[in-house]
């Protein structure tokens, strides 16, 4: 994990514990979170800006996904969320409701393949589409599908090549986003 990253050993979604480990490369500024009266607010070091090469990867992915060289123009992701999935990990269907931007999400898979479930914008149920994402796959969702429910019901252990990825097992997923939130 690089400088400026902050580990999140577990997340909660819809009241249930997620089985994924996440690291954030750029702090999401959230206005005035309540502080428990018996705890002091800790000062955190400033986060580093998203690397230019990573933002360029996101713009190139949009140009390819939309088959339009100008599709990435103006795309300026301000955060990258990194999730690590071991062989037993999964993430339930969820929407990314905390963001204020409707800009597309660019997702890069590294390591073991997974079953990615891409649903509708109304609820966690059907209709949804299951897609197998392999190492090196980029998945883009934007437009009307930007706030679709999505999740990872299954990782396919042993499908990644450690010689290529550097991972002995498991899967890294890196998602680039424009949050619409300001520091």
């Amino acid at each position: 994990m690089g400088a400026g990253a902050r580990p999140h050993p577990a997340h909660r979604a819809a009241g249930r514990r997620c089985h994924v480990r996440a690291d954030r490369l750029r702090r999401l500024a959230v206005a005035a979170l309540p502080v428990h009266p018996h705890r002091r607010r800790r000062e955190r070091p400033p986060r580093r800006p998203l690397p230019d090469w990573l933002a360029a990867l996101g713009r190139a992915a949009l140009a390819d996904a939309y088959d339009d060289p100008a599709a990435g123009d103006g795309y300026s992701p301000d955060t990258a969320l990194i999730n690590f999935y071991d062989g037993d990990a999964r993430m339930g269907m969820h929407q990314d409701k905390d963001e204020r931007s409707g800009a597309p999400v660019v997702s890069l898979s590294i390591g073991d393949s997974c079953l990615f479930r891409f649903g509708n914008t109304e609820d966690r149920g059907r209709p949804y589409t299951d897609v197998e994402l392999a190492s090196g796959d980029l998945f883009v969702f934007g437009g009307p599908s930007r706030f679709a429910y999505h999740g990872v019901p299954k990782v396919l252990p042993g499908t990644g090549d450690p010689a290529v990825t550097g991972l002995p097992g498991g899967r890294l997923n890196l998602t680039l986003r424009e949050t619409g939130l300001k520091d």
Side-chain angles (χ1 to χ4, degrees):
M1 193 172 1
R6 187 171 68 121
H8 297 273
H11 288 281
R12 291 201 173 272
R16 289 182 237 132
R17 183 179 165 98
C18 293
H19 300 271
V20 177
R21 193 176 140 186
D23 299 314
R24 202 159 282 188
L25 286 181
R26 177 114 171 105
R27 180 179 60 112
L28 296 178
V30 179
L33 289 176
V35 176
H36 190 278
H38 300 293
R39 294 185 188 152
R40 283 195 226 153
R41 188 181 299 260
R42 289 185 295 159
E43 289 296 318
R44 294 192 178 131
R47 305 291 182 206
R48 292 183 178 187
L50 196 73
D52 291 337
W53 65 267
L54 202 49
L57 174 74
R59 287 188 289 277
L62 292 178
D64 286 348
Y66 293 107
D67 198 22
D68 176 3
D73 293 354
Y75 183 64
S76 184
D78 57 4
T79 194
L81 181 64
I82 303 170
N83 290 323
F84 176 76
Y85 297 75
D86 65 19
D88 296 321
R90 60 197 175 279
M91 183 176 286
M93 297 288 277
H94 65 281
Q95 284 179 308
D96 300 324
K97 291 184 177 180
D98 294 335
E99 298 154 6
R100 295 186 181 142
S101 172
V105 170
V106 176
S107 172
L108 171 64
S109 296
I110 302 169
D112 287 340
S113 298
C114 78
L115 186 66
F116 180 75
R117 182 162 288 165
F118 193 70
N120 63 78
T121 58
E122 301 302 317
D123 60 40
R124 290 178 176 82
R126 293 185 182 268
Y128 52 74
T129 302
D130 288 341
V131 179
E132 185 176 321
L133 296 178
S135 189
D137 284 349
L138 281 165
F139 188 88
V140 174
F141 52 106
S145 298
R146 168 59 179 86
F147 294 102
Y149 282 88
H150 56 281
V152 176
K154 185 176 186 179
V155 173
L156 307 172
T159 54
D161 183 351
V164 174
T165 66
L167 296 173
R171 170 180 184 265
L172 284 175
N173 174 252
L174 183 137
T175 57
L176 301 176
R177 305 157 184 272
E178 277 187 23
T179 64
L181 302 172
K182 302 294 179 203
D183 282 341

